[in-house]
Amino acid sequence: MIELRPARQTDAPAMVEVQNAIYRAGLRASPVDDALVLERYLDATYRVACTVAEEEGQVLGFQSLIRPRPDYPYEVPEGWGVIGTHIHPSAGRQGIGRRLIARSLSAAKAAGLRHIDASIAADNAPALAYYSAMGFVPYRQGGDVIPHRFDLESPRLPPDGA
């Protein structure tokens, strides 16, 4: 059974493997290492939530929700959250992303966020389809990246992932 729980510092190597499997599948621009995962997803300074999905002790994926860091490469308005979903290619299509989004939206509301950005590579069809199915909509042109937003005050909420 797949279980969700808050990410821990000790999950960094497994989170690296998830992202690097996504890279090897051609859906991520570059590989990552432990330092990048610790800084980008597990640093408490910007983190709102980071949830892992695991089965029998193996991390299958994770979703992070952060406040934009000063070096965030995409223009995100003040007071927004930034979400990232990372599912191992071998674990796709099991409803993990749907369950993770429910946790992240709850955390976003608790943190007082009103909007969430998901900046998605224009050539990442699975991510574009996922975020669209979760209720995210494009909100500006972005070249190689298509910024999507979710409005937490909107009545259109994604399907229940609990």
PDB file of all heavy atoms in Angstrom, residues 123-150:
ATOM      1  N   ASP A 123       7.695  20.958 -23.251  1.00  0.00           N
ATOM      2  CA  ASP A 123       7.771  19.642 -23.883  1.00  0.00           C
ATOM      3  C   ASP A 123       7.511  18.486 -22.915  1.00  0.00           C
ATOM      4  O   ASP A 123       7.689  17.328 -23.261  1.00  0.00           O
ATOM      5  CB  ASP A 123       9.123  19.457 -24.581  1.00  0.00           C
ATOM      6  CG  ASP A 123      10.293  19.499 -23.619  1.00  0.00           C
ATOM      7  OD1 ASP A 123      10.104  19.802 -22.405  1.00  0.00           O
ATOM      8  OD2 ASP A 123      11.433  19.239 -24.068  1.00  0.00           O
ATOM      9  N   ASN A 124       7.052  18.793 -21.696  1.00  0.00           N
ATOM     10  CA  ASN A 124       6.765  17.755 -20.706  1.00  0.00           C
ATOM     11  C   ASN A 124       5.267  17.463 -20.703  1.00  0.00           C
ATOM     12  O   ASN A 124       4.515  17.922 -19.839  1.00  0.00           O
ATOM     13  CB  ASN A 124       7.255  18.180 -19.321  1.00  0.00           C
ATOM     14  CG  ASN A 124       7.187  17.048 -18.303  1.00  0.00           C
ATOM     15  OD1 ASN A 124       6.471  16.078 -18.477  1.00  0.00           O
ATOM     16  ND2 ASN A 124       7.934  17.208 -17.222  1.00  0.00           N
ATOM     17  N   ALA A 125       4.835  16.697 -21.689  1.00  0.00           N
ATOM     18  CA  ALA A 125       3.404  16.406 -21.861  1.00  0.00           C
ATOM     19  C   ALA A 125       2.773  15.754 -20.630  1.00  0.00           C
ATOM     20  O   ALA A 125       1.658  16.128 -20.254  1.00  0.00           O
ATOM     21  CB  ALA A 125       3.185  15.548 -23.108  1.00  0.00           C
ATOM     22  N   PRO A 126       3.436  14.788 -19.967  1.00  0.00           N
ATOM     23  CA  PRO A 126       2.800  14.193 -18.781  1.00  0.00           C
ATOM     24  C   PRO A 126       2.541  15.223 -17.670  1.00  0.00           C
ATOM     25  O   PRO A 126       1.478  15.210 -17.054  1.00  0.00           O
ATOM     26  CB  PRO A 126       3.800  13.123 -18.322  1.00  0.00           C
ATOM     27  CG  PRO A 126       4.584  12.785 -19.547  1.00  0.00           C
ATOM     28  CD  PRO A 126       4.682  14.080 -20.319  1.00  0.00           C
ATOM     29  N   ALA A 127       3.486  16.115 -17.433  1.00  0.00           N
ATOM     30  CA  ALA A 127       3.295  17.128 -16.383  1.00  0.00           C
ATOM     31  C   ALA A 127       2.218  18.128 -16.779  1.00  0.00           C
ATOM     32  O   ALA A 127       1.396  18.536 -15.944  1.00  0.00           O
ATOM     33  CB  ALA A 127       4.610  17.849 -16.093  1.00  0.00           C
ATOM     34  N   LEU A 128       2.201  18.529 -18.046  1.00  0.00           N
ATOM     35  CA  LEU A 128       1.159  19.454 -18.507  1.00  0.00           C
ATOM     36  C   LEU A 128      -0.223  18.826 -18.325  1.00  0.00           C
ATOM     37  O   LEU A 128      -1.165  19.489 -17.860  1.00  0.00           O
ATOM     38  CB  LEU A 128       1.393  19.838 -19.967  1.00  0.00           C
ATOM     39  CG  LEU A 128       2.614  20.720 -20.224  1.00  0.00           C
ATOM     40  CD1 LEU A 128       2.931  20.774 -21.710  1.00  0.00           C
ATOM     41  CD2 LEU A 128       2.408  22.117 -19.661  1.00  0.00           C
ATOM     42  N   ALA A 129      -0.358  17.554 -18.653  1.00  0.00           N
ATOM     43  CA  ALA A 129      -1.644  16.866 -18.501  1.00  0.00           C
ATOM     44  C   ALA A 129      -2.021  16.732 -17.028  1.00  0.00           C
ATOM     45  O   ALA A 129      -3.180  16.946 -16.650  1.00  0.00           O
ATOM     46  CB  ALA A 129      -1.582  15.492 -19.169  1.00  0.00           C
ATOM     47  N   TYR A 130      -1.053  16.387 -16.191  1.00  0.00           N
ATOM     48  CA  TYR A 130      -1.312  16.222 -14.755  1.00  0.00           C
ATOM     49  C   TYR A 130      -1.818  17.525 -14.142  1.00  0.00           C
ATOM     50  O   TYR A 130      -2.869  17.553 -13.490  1.00  0.00           O
ATOM     51  CB  TYR A 130      -0.046  15.742 -14.034  1.00  0.00           C
ATOM     52  CG  TYR A 130      -0.118  15.900 -12.530  1.00  0.00           C
ATOM     53  CD1 TYR A 130      -0.911  15.049 -11.765  1.00  0.00           C
ATOM     54  CD2 TYR A 130       0.587  16.902 -11.884  1.00  0.00           C
ATOM     55  CE1 TYR A 130      -0.993  15.199 -10.401  1.00  0.00           C
ATOM     56  CE2 TYR A 130       0.511  17.055 -10.518  1.00  0.00           C
ATOM     57  CZ  TYR A 130      -0.283  16.199  -9.769  1.00  0.00           C
ATOM     58  OH  TYR A 130      -0.366  16.357  -8.406  1.00  0.00           O
ATOM     59  N   TYR A 131      -1.064  18.598 -14.334  1.00  0.00           N
ATOM     60  CA  TYR A 131      -1.459  19.857 -13.701  1.00  0.00           C
ATOM     61  C   TYR A 131      -2.790  20.370 -14.252  1.00  0.00           C
ATOM     62  O   TYR A 131      -3.598  20.932 -13.508  1.00  0.00           O
ATOM     63  CB  TYR A 131      -0.355  20.904 -13.811  1.00  0.00           C
ATOM     64  CG  TYR A 131       0.742  20.662 -12.814  1.00  0.00           C
ATOM     65  CD1 TYR A 131       1.982  20.162 -13.198  1.00  0.00           C
ATOM     66  CD2 TYR A 131       0.543  20.923 -11.462  1.00  0.00           C
ATOM     67  CE1 TYR A 131       2.981  19.929 -12.269  1.00  0.00           C
ATOM     68  CE2 TYR A 131       1.534  20.686 -10.527  1.00  0.00           C
ATOM     69  CZ  TYR A 131       2.756  20.183 -10.943  1.00  0.00           C
ATOM     70  OH  TYR A 131       3.737  19.949 -10.010  1.00  0.00           O
ATOM     71  N   SER A 132      -3.054  20.155 -15.521  1.00  0.00           N
ATOM     72  CA  SER A 132      -4.342  20.534 -16.083  1.00  0.00           C
ATOM     73  C   SER A 132      -5.468  19.746 -15.415  1.00  0.00           C
ATOM     74  O   SER A 132      -6.504  20.310 -15.028  1.00  0.00           O
ATOM     75  CB  SER A 132      -4.341  20.297 -17.589  1.00  0.00           C
ATOM     76  OG  SER A 132      -5.601  20.598 -18.121  1.00  0.00           O
ATOM     77  N   ALA A 133      -5.267  18.449 -15.242  1.00  0.00           N
ATOM     78  CA  ALA A 133      -6.276  17.604 -14.593  1.00  0.00           C
ATOM     79  C   ALA A 133      -6.496  18.004 -13.136  1.00  0.00           C
ATOM     80  O   ALA A 133      -7.585  17.816 -12.590  1.00  0.00           O
ATOM     81  CB  ALA A 133      -5.863  16.134 -14.677  1.00  0.00           C
ATOM     82  N   MET A 134      -5.481  18.585 -12.514  1.00  0.00           N
ATOM     83  CA  MET A 134      -5.597  19.008 -11.122  1.00  0.00           C
ATOM     84  C   MET A 134      -6.201  20.402 -10.979  1.00  0.00           C
ATOM     85  O   MET A 134      -6.379  20.902  -9.871  1.00  0.00           O
ATOM     86  CB  MET A 134      -4.221  18.970 -10.437  1.00  0.00           C
ATOM     87  CG  MET A 134      -3.623  17.574 -10.326  1.00  0.00           C
ATOM     88  SD  MET A 134      -4.638  16.420  -9.380  1.00  0.00           S
ATOM     89  CE  MET A 134      -5.288  15.403 -10.686  1.00  0.00           C
ATOM     90  N   GLY A 135      -6.492  21.055 -12.101  1.00  0.00           N
ATOM     91  CA  GLY A 135      -7.148  22.359 -12.042  1.00  0.00           C
ATOM     92  C   GLY A 135      -6.245  23.553 -12.259  1.00  0.00           C
ATOM     93  O   GLY A 135      -6.679  24.698 -12.115  1.00  0.00           O
ATOM     94  N   PHE A 136      -4.983  23.325 -12.605  1.00  0.00           N
ATOM     95  CA  PHE A 136      -4.060  24.424 -12.899  1.00  0.00           C
ATOM     96  C   PHE A 136      -4.335  24.915 -14.322  1.00  0.00           C
ATOM     97  O   PHE A 136      -4.642  24.116 -15.205  1.00  0.00           O
ATOM     98  CB  PHE A 136      -2.609  23.955 -12.793  1.00  0.00           C
ATOM     99  CG  PHE A 136      -2.111  23.796 -11.386  1.00  0.00           C
ATOM    100  CD1 PHE A 136      -2.540  22.750 -10.579  1.00  0.00           C
ATOM    101  CD2 PHE A 136      -1.202  24.703 -10.858  1.00  0.00           C
ATOM    102  CE1 PHE A 136      -2.074  22.592  -9.289  1.00  0.00           C
ATOM    103  CE2 PHE A 136      -0.730  24.560  -9.567  1.00  0.00           C
ATOM    104  CZ  PHE A 136      -1.171  23.503  -8.774  1.00  0.00           C
ATOM    105  N   VAL A 137      -4.205  26.222 -14.524  1.00  0.00           N
ATOM    106  CA  VAL A 137      -4.424  26.812 -15.851  1.00  0.00           C
ATOM    107  C   VAL A 137      -3.235  27.709 -16.208  1.00  0.00           C
ATOM    108  O   VAL A 137      -2.657  28.362 -15.348  1.00  0.00           O
ATOM    109  CB  VAL A 137      -5.743  27.626 -15.911  1.00  0.00           C
ATOM    110  CG1 VAL A 137      -6.942  26.718 -15.715  1.00  0.00           C
ATOM    111  CG2 VAL A 137      -5.748  28.733 -14.888  1.00  0.00           C
ATOM    112  N   PRO A 138      -2.858  27.746 -17.502  1.00  0.00           N
ATOM    113  CA  PRO A 138      -1.788  28.648 -17.928  1.00  0.00           C
ATOM    114  C   PRO A 138      -2.190  30.098 -17.621  1.00  0.00           C
ATOM    115  O   PRO A 138      -3.356  30.459 -17.769  1.00  0.00           O
ATOM    116  CB  PRO A 138      -1.694  28.419 -19.427  1.00  0.00           C
ATOM    117  CG  PRO A 138      -2.324  27.089 -19.666  1.00  0.00           C
ATOM    118  CD  PRO A 138      -3.382  26.952 -18.616  1.00  0.00           C
ATOM    119  N   TYR A 139      -1.212  30.897 -17.182  1.00  0.00           N
ATOM    120  CA  TYR A 139      -1.554  32.289 -16.882  1.00  0.00           C
ATOM    121  C   TYR A 139      -0.657  33.301 -17.564  1.00  0.00           C
ATOM    122  O   TYR A 139      -0.893  34.502 -17.449  1.00  0.00           O
ATOM    123  CB  TYR A 139      -1.625  32.542 -15.367  1.00  0.00           C
ATOM    124  CG  TYR A 139      -0.324  32.461 -14.599  1.00  0.00           C
ATOM    125  CD1 TYR A 139       0.393  33.611 -14.275  1.00  0.00           C
ATOM    126  CD2 TYR A 139       0.162  31.240 -14.150  1.00  0.00           C
ATOM    127  CE1 TYR A 139       1.564  33.540 -13.548  1.00  0.00           C
ATOM    128  CE2 TYR A 139       1.329  31.162 -13.415  1.00  0.00           C
ATOM    129  CZ  TYR A 139       2.025  32.326 -13.108  1.00  0.00           C
ATOM    130  OH  TYR A 139       3.187  32.246 -12.383  1.00  0.00           O
ATOM    131  N   ARG A 140       0.349  32.862 -18.267  1.00  0.00           N
ATOM    132  CA  ARG A 140       1.140  33.774 -19.101  1.00  0.00           C
ATOM    133  C   ARG A 140       2.026  32.941 -20.006  1.00  0.00           C
ATOM    134  O   ARG A 140       2.249  31.754 -19.774  1.00  0.00           O
ATOM    135  CB  ARG A 140       1.953  34.757 -18.267  1.00  0.00           C
ATOM    136  CG  ARG A 140       3.095  34.154 -17.497  1.00  0.00           C
ATOM    137  CD  ARG A 140       3.936  35.256 -16.818  1.00  0.00           C
ATOM    138  NE  ARG A 140       5.130  34.691 -16.294  1.00  0.00           N
ATOM    139  CZ  ARG A 140       5.295  34.258 -15.048  1.00  0.00           C
ATOM    140  NH1 ARG A 140       4.307  34.367 -14.195  1.00  0.00           N
ATOM    141  NH2 ARG A 140       6.431  33.740 -14.663  1.00  0.00           N
ATOM    142  N   GLN A 141       2.527  33.576 -21.056  1.00  0.00           N
ATOM    143  CA  GLN A 141       3.442  32.917 -21.971  1.00  0.00           C
ATOM    144  C   GLN A 141       4.802  32.799 -21.299  1.00  0.00           C
ATOM    145  O   GLN A 141       5.212  33.695 -20.574  1.00  0.00           O
ATOM    146  CB  GLN A 141       3.557  33.711 -23.276  1.00  0.00           C
ATOM    147  CG  GLN A 141       2.276  33.734 -24.075  1.00  0.00           C
ATOM    148  CD  GLN A 141       1.842  32.340 -24.515  1.00  0.00           C
ATOM    149  OE1 GLN A 141       2.664  31.502 -24.872  1.00  0.00           O
ATOM    150  NE2 GLN A 141       0.549  32.086 -24.467  1.00  0.00           N
ATOM    151  N   GLY A 142       5.482  31.713 -21.565  1.00  0.00           N
ATOM    152  CA  GLY A 142       6.756  31.534 -20.905  1.00  0.00           C
ATOM    153  C   GLY A 142       7.858  30.956 -21.771  1.00  0.00           C
ATOM    154  O   GLY A 142       8.881  30.571 -21.257  1.00  0.00           O
ATOM    155  N   GLY A 143       7.673  30.845 -23.073  1.00  0.00           N
ATOM    156  CA  GLY A 143       8.726  30.288 -23.925  1.00  0.00           C
ATOM    157  C   GLY A 143       8.827  28.784 -23.749  1.00  0.00           C
ATOM    158  O   GLY A 143       7.871  28.059 -24.022  1.00  0.00           O
ATOM    159  N   ASP A 144       9.978  28.313 -23.261  1.00  0.00           N
ATOM    160  CA  ASP A 144      10.196  26.878 -23.058  1.00  0.00           C
ATOM    161  C   ASP A 144       9.463  26.343 -21.835  1.00  0.00           C
ATOM    162  O   ASP A 144       9.397  25.144 -21.623  1.00  0.00           O
ATOM    163  CB  ASP A 144      11.693  26.586 -22.912  1.00  0.00           C
ATOM    164  CG  ASP A 144      12.461  26.841 -24.191  1.00  0.00           C
ATOM    165  OD1 ASP A 144      11.832  26.917 -25.265  1.00  0.00           O
ATOM    166  OD2 ASP A 144      13.699  26.963 -24.110  1.00  0.00           O
ATOM    167  N   VAL A 145       8.969  27.258 -21.001  1.00  0.00           N
ATOM    168  CA  VAL A 145       8.251  26.892 -19.782  1.00  0.00           C
ATOM    169  C   VAL A 145       6.877  27.547 -19.826  1.00  0.00           C
ATOM    170  O   VAL A 145       6.757  28.716 -20.193  1.00  0.00           O
ATOM    171  CB  VAL A 145       9.036  27.362 -18.534  1.00  0.00           C
ATOM    172  CG1 VAL A 145       8.221  27.176 -17.273  1.00  0.00           C
ATOM    173  CG2 VAL A 145      10.359  26.615 -18.429  1.00  0.00           C
ATOM    174  N   ILE A 146       5.864  26.790 -19.457  1.00  0.00           N
ATOM    175  CA  ILE A 146       4.505  27.325 -19.440  1.00  0.00           C
ATOM    176  C   ILE A 146       4.060  27.463 -17.987  1.00  0.00           C
ATOM    177  O   ILE A 146       3.795  26.457 -17.319  1.00  0.00           O
ATOM    178  CB  ILE A 146       3.530  26.411 -20.208  1.00  0.00           C
ATOM    179  CG1 ILE A 146       4.011  26.221 -21.659  1.00  0.00           C
ATOM    180  CG2 ILE A 146       2.120  26.992 -20.163  1.00  0.00           C
ATOM    181  CD1 ILE A 146       3.226  25.175 -22.426  1.00  0.00           C
ATOM    182  N   PRO A 147       4.004  28.696 -17.473  1.00  0.00           N
ATOM    183  CA  PRO A 147       3.551  28.891 -16.093  1.00  0.00           C
ATOM    184  C   PRO A 147       2.057  28.614 -15.957  1.00  0.00           C
ATOM    185  O   PRO A 147       1.248  29.108 -16.734  1.00  0.00           O
ATOM    186  CB  PRO A 147       3.848  30.366 -15.817  1.00  0.00           C
ATOM    187  CG  PRO A 147       4.815  30.783 -16.882  1.00  0.00           C
ATOM    188  CD  PRO A 147       4.479  29.938 -18.073  1.00  0.00           C
ATOM    189  N   HIS A 148       1.723  27.781 -14.988  1.00  0.00           N
ATOM    190  CA  HIS A 148       0.335  27.454 -14.667  1.00  0.00           C
ATOM    191  C   HIS A 148       0.055  27.944 -13.248  1.00  0.00           C
ATOM    192  O   HIS A 148       0.958  28.015 -12.424  1.00  0.00           O
ATOM    193  CB  HIS A 148       0.102  25.944 -14.725  1.00  0.00           C
ATOM    194  CG  HIS A 148       0.016  25.397 -16.105  1.00  0.00           C
ATOM    195  ND1 HIS A 148       1.055  25.430 -16.992  1.00  0.00           N
ATOM    196  CD2 HIS A 148      -1.006  24.791 -16.749  1.00  0.00           C
ATOM    197  CE1 HIS A 148       0.687  24.863 -18.127  1.00  0.00           C
ATOM    198  NE2 HIS A 148      -0.571  24.464 -18.006  1.00  0.00           N
ATOM    199  N   ARG A 149      -1.221  28.221 -12.978  1.00  0.00           N
ATOM    200  CA  ARG A 149      -1.583  28.659 -11.636  1.00  0.00           C
ATOM    201  C   ARG A 149      -2.809  27.909 -11.157  1.00  0.00           C
ATOM    202  O   ARG A 149      -3.639  27.466 -11.937  1.00  0.00           O
ATOM    203  CB  ARG A 149      -1.834  30.154 -11.587  1.00  0.00           C
ATOM    204  CG  ARG A 149      -3.150  30.551 -12.238  1.00  0.00           C
ATOM    205  CD  ARG A 149      -3.327  32.036 -12.372  1.00  0.00           C
ATOM    206  NE  ARG A 149      -3.955  32.615 -11.206  1.00  0.00           N
ATOM    207  CZ  ARG A 149      -4.021  33.915 -10.988  1.00  0.00           C
ATOM    208  NH1 ARG A 149      -3.486  34.769 -11.840  1.00  0.00           N
ATOM    209  NH2 ARG A 149      -4.619  34.368  -9.923  1.00  0.00           N
ATOM    210  N   PHE A 150      -2.874  27.799  -9.838  1.00  0.00           N
ATOM    211  CA  PHE A 150      -4.051  27.264  -9.171  1.00  0.00           C
ATOM    212  C   PHE A 150      -4.479  28.321  -8.168  1.00  0.00           C
ATOM    213  O   PHE A 150      -3.661  28.794  -7.380  1.00  0.00           O
ATOM    214  CB  PHE A 150      -3.733  25.946  -8.458  1.00  0.00           C
ATOM    215  CG  PHE A 150      -4.947  25.309  -7.860  1.00  0.00           C
ATOM    216  CD1 PHE A 150      -5.708  24.420  -8.587  1.00  0.00           C
ATOM    217  CD2 PHE A 150      -5.347  25.609  -6.555  1.00  0.00           C
ATOM    218  CE1 PHE A 150      -6.841  23.839  -8.048  1.00  0.00           C
ATOM    219  CE2 PHE A 150      -6.473  25.040  -6.011  1.00  0.00           C
ATOM    220  CZ  PHE A 150      -7.227  24.147  -6.753  1.00  0.00           C
TER     221      PHE A 150
END
